[in-house]
Structure formats: C-alpha cells, structure tokens
C-alpha cells in the first residue's frame, strides 16, 4: 500500500503539472487545494527538489514548479524517493536489496513469486509518468 506521504507527493505533482502554464505555485495553495497538511507537504516538496524533480523560485511570483516535463517524471522514481523499495521483500529489491534472515534464497518459493510481483509492478511504474496521471 502507498503511504500517505507518497500519495501526497503524487497529488502535489499532478497539481503542479496542471498549473505548469501558470508559473510557480505557493505551498499554501497546493496544501489547500489538495488537502495536504502544510508542514508535511513542505518536507515532501523539499525532498523532490533535492532530487531535481521540482524547483522553486523565491519572492514575488515565487513558489514551486516542475523542474522536468511531466512526461519525464517516472512514477517509479518518485515512489523510490518517497517510499523506498517498490518490492515487497528486501531480498527481491533491485535498488534496496538486503538478504532476509533465516532464508535460503535458492529454494524460497515466496521470493520467487514476489520477484514476479516486483517485475509486474515495475513493468508499469517504470513506463508511466506524471503526465499519465493528469
């Protein structure tokens, strides 16, 4: 299940995508329009800014805006940034691999199935972008 934080990140990205022609958007406006707690949203937007997904402008007419085109912001990239691993077990993660305790990976049926689940999710998430959400 997606965390609230990841859901809010996607809501903010969708809103910024829809408002792209209008210029930078104030955090307070995103918070109000998308019903996202302001303090929580500030942290989410800062994380995405650090990764180059968003940028901001200070002063009059300032706010946040997309640093990339919506079609260049891959959903899997955002999920990994905010959520961490996309896989359901650490031993099947491509970017956050960690061996499970007391497990023989060579004979673990659960691991085999969850690799298929991971691959099915990634087949969609690696090829969909914020543009697909709006």
């Amino acid at each position: 299940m997606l965390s609230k934080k990841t859901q809010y990140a996607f809501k903010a990205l969708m809103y910024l995508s829809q408002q792209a022609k209008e210029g930078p958007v104030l955090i307070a406006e995103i918070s109000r329009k998308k019903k996202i707690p302001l303090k929580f949203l500030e942290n989410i937007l800062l994380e995405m800014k650090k990764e180059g997904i968003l940028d901001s402008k200070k002063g009059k007419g300032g706010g946040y805006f997309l640093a990339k085109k919506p079609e260049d912001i891959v959903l899997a990239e955002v999920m990994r940034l905010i959520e961490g691993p996309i896989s359901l077990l650490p031993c099947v993660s491509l970017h956050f691999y960690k061996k499970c305790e007391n497990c023989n990976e060579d004979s673990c049926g659960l691991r085999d199935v969850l690799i298929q689940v991971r691959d099915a999710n990634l087949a969609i998430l690696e090829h969909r972008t914020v543009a697909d959400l709006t």
Side-chain angles (χ1 to χ4, degrees):
M1 228 189 318
L2 286 181
S3 68
K4 280 282 191 201
K5 186 176 181 181
T6 302
Q7 290 176 46
Y8 290 157
F10 283 129
K11 283 182 175 189
L13 288 170
M14 288 186 287
Y15 188 73
L16 289 169
S17 176
Q18 293 164 345
Q19 301 299 313
K21 288 184 170 76
E22 306 300 318
V25 180
L26 295 173
I27 296 176
E29 178 182 335
I30 302 167
S31 172
R32 186 178 68 254
K33 295 276 187 174
K34 301 316 279 175
K35 297 177 175 48
I36 303 171
L38 186 62
K39 282 292 183 192
F40 203 27
L41 180 60
E42 287 175 350
N43 292 328
I44 293 167
L45 298 181
L46 279 174
E47 281 184 59
M48 291 194 287
K49 182 179 176 184
K50 285 179 193 171
E51 289 300 313
I53 295 169
L54 299 179
D55 205 348
S56 65
K57 179 182 171 191
K58 293 184 179 189
K60 185 176 170 143
Y64 278 91
F65 56 94
L66 299 179
K68 301 178 179 181
K69 295 178 189 170
E71 56 271 16
D72 293 334
I73 303 171
V74 177
L75 299 184
E77 173 189 5
V78 176
M79 285 183 66
R80 284 188 184 108
L81 171 65
I82 304 295
E83 195 81 25
I86 291 172
S87 59
L88 297 175
L89 284 177
C91 68
V92 301
S93 179
L94 295 175
H95 296 273
F96 301 89
Y97 173 83
K98 184 178 175 189
K99 185 171 177 20
C100 293
E101 291 182 29
N102 304 320
C103 180
N104 180 351
E105 290 182 0
D106 296 327
S107 62
C108 180
L110 179 59
R111 182 176 190 274
D112 295 341
V113 170
L114 291 182
I115 286 173
Q116 293 174 21
V117 171
R118 176 205 65 204
D119 291 346
N121 281 331
L122 288 177
I124 297 168
L125 296 171
E126 290 284 0
H127 298 97
R128 296 298 174 110
T129 67
V130 169
D132 295 313
L133 301 178
T134 56

